[in-house]
Amino acid sequence: MLSPDLHIHTFHCGHATGTMEETVLSAVAVGLPEIGFSDHFPYPAGFSAPAPDCVIPSLEEFRVYAAEVRRLREAYAGRIVIRFAAEVDYLEGWGERQAAILEPFEFDYTIGSIHIVKQAAVDYREDVLLSAADEWGGVEAAWDLYWDAMEAMIRGGGFHIVGHFDLLKKYPGGVSVRNHEERVRSLFAAMKSSGLVLELNTGGVDRASDRAPYPSVRLLRLAAECGVEVTLGSDAHAPGDVGRHFADAARLLRSLGWTHTVGFENGEKQYHPIPG
Ligand SMILES: [Zn+2]
Ligand SMILES: [Zn+2]
């Protein structure tokens, strides 16, 4: 038995592969009791995307994705629980309008993530990150701007889970040499007081420069000390990615003192014992 996998993409976003049904079958095969499709929500009208194929391109296509989640939920009832969600980009100044656009979808939950800092897609290509960082005064300045955006996202609310918390470590050139403890503690305290859940994103094991989940163990330990709740997500971009590295992740979470991960139904938290 594995913990629910709440972070899964589909071909609708333009940079993931396989059919959604293949993803469900893969999840059943690896023993996941529950998954949540959380594909990239479209950018707001008029927003010019800093990179191609980052999100589901339109609300029309997003509705097609939504309908397929509903169909699969019915078709596989009794074999696996399927939740309907979205990963939503935090974009400066878009908070209130965003809530009104998200609401009619009646998501089980939403993941708030920062992929764009000041119009630069920071997880798209290393050279894109580094040239933006140059403009801002270096990689450490990029981290300061990233944390500023994180703070604004957390304070703005309107979502349930904070995705890949320290994403800038994805590329070797984005790794910071500073100790971010003070800043991160204040972010975790804000998350704790508003009930936001931290994602342990196992995609980092395959994709991040340090071959470790987001957030890094050092930051995860701070989250445990701050009493922040956690969820697990593979950030799957192919059917075979679902549940990846979840046994290791479960061991890590237990070693830091967590006993449960969080899932969501209609926005309500559910607590799942961490196996092991
Ligand atoms: Zn993401
Ligand atoms: Zn994602």
Side-chain angles (χ1 to χ4, degrees):
M1 189 61 106
L2 299 172
S3 301
D5 183 348
L6 298 196
H7 194 147
I8 296 173
H9 294 286
T10 79
F11 70 92
H12 288 285
C13 69
H15 63 274
T17 58
T19 67
M20 292 171 67
E21 187 144 16
E22 284 166 350
T23 294
V24 172
L25 289 168
S26 176
V28 170
V30 301
L32 283 161
E34 178 173 329
I35 59 170
F37 281 106
S38 59
D39 214 352
H40 295 284
F41 196 77
Y43 294 134
F47 179 81
S48 72
D53 297 330
C54 286
V55 300
I56 294 183
S58 65
L59 287 175
E60 291 68 41
E61 183 155 355
F62 195 85
R63 289 189 191 98
V64 175
Y65 153 77
E68 180 66 354
V69 176
R70 280 194 291 274
R71 184 188 76 79
L72 291 167
R73 170 185 280 174
E74 297 301 315
Y76 287 87
R79 296 172 68 188
I80 187 167
V81 174
I82 298 176
R83 304 294 184 205
F84 172 49
E87 181 178 17
V88 183
D89 273 73
Y90 170 74
L91 300 172
E92 228 173 311
W94 193 46
E96 277 177 29
R97 277 188 296 157
Q98 177 168 291
I101 293 170
L102 295 176
E103 207 219 286
F105 285 100
E106 300 182 328
F107 291 113
D108 286 308
Y109 62 93
T110 52
I111 301 172
S113 292
I114 295 163
H115 306 104
I116 296 171
V117 176
K118 293 197 175 296
Q119 281 293 317
V122 294
D123 70 332
Y124 178 61
R125 284 199 327 246
E126 185 170 30
D127 62 301
V128 170
L129 169 63
L130 294 184
S131 75
D134 265 356
E135 213 172 285
W136 300 329
V139 166
E140 303 303 341
W143 277 94
D144 287 336
L145 289 172
Y146 179 81
W147 293 138
D148 290 347
M150 184 64 78
E151 185 175 342
M153 181 176 87
I154 291 167
R155 300 221 180 271
F159 62 99
H160 302 90
I161 296 169
V162 174
H164 43 62
F165 185 78
D166 53 355
L167 183 63
L168 292 193
K169 79 180 171 90
K170 176 171 180 179
Y171 301 115
V175 172
S176 171
V177 295
R178 276 191 329 204
N179 179 338
H180 296 262
E181 179 167 343
E182 203 179 324
R183 188 84 205 253
V184 166
R185 269 189 196 280
S186 85
L187 294 171
F188 285 156
M191 285 173 62
K192 163 84 178 162
S193 68
S194 53
L196 279 171
V197 178
L198 178 71
E199 170 189 79
L200 181 62
N201 182 311
T202 60
V205 177
D206 297 321
R207 297 207 295 250
S209 59
D210 59 355
R211 300 283 161 208
Y214 305 104
S216 68
V217 174
R218 202 167 57 83
L219 300 189
L220 201 57
R221 186 168 288 123
L222 295 179
E225 285 172 24
C226 294
V228 175
E229 295 172 331
V230 284
T231 188
L232 266 178
S234 66
D235 216 335
H237 282 74
D241 289 345
V242 291
R244 61 177 156 178
H245 310 301
F246 270 29
D248 291 342
R251 270 191 292 278
L252 174 60
L253 290 176
R254 292 186 74 91
S255 76
L256 294 173
W258 278 286
T259 57
H260 292 74
T261 63
V262 177
F264 292 89
E265 180 177 16
N266 291 324
E268 297 294 320
K269 284 180 183 170
Q270 297 175 333
Y271 293 90
H272 303 266
I274 298 171

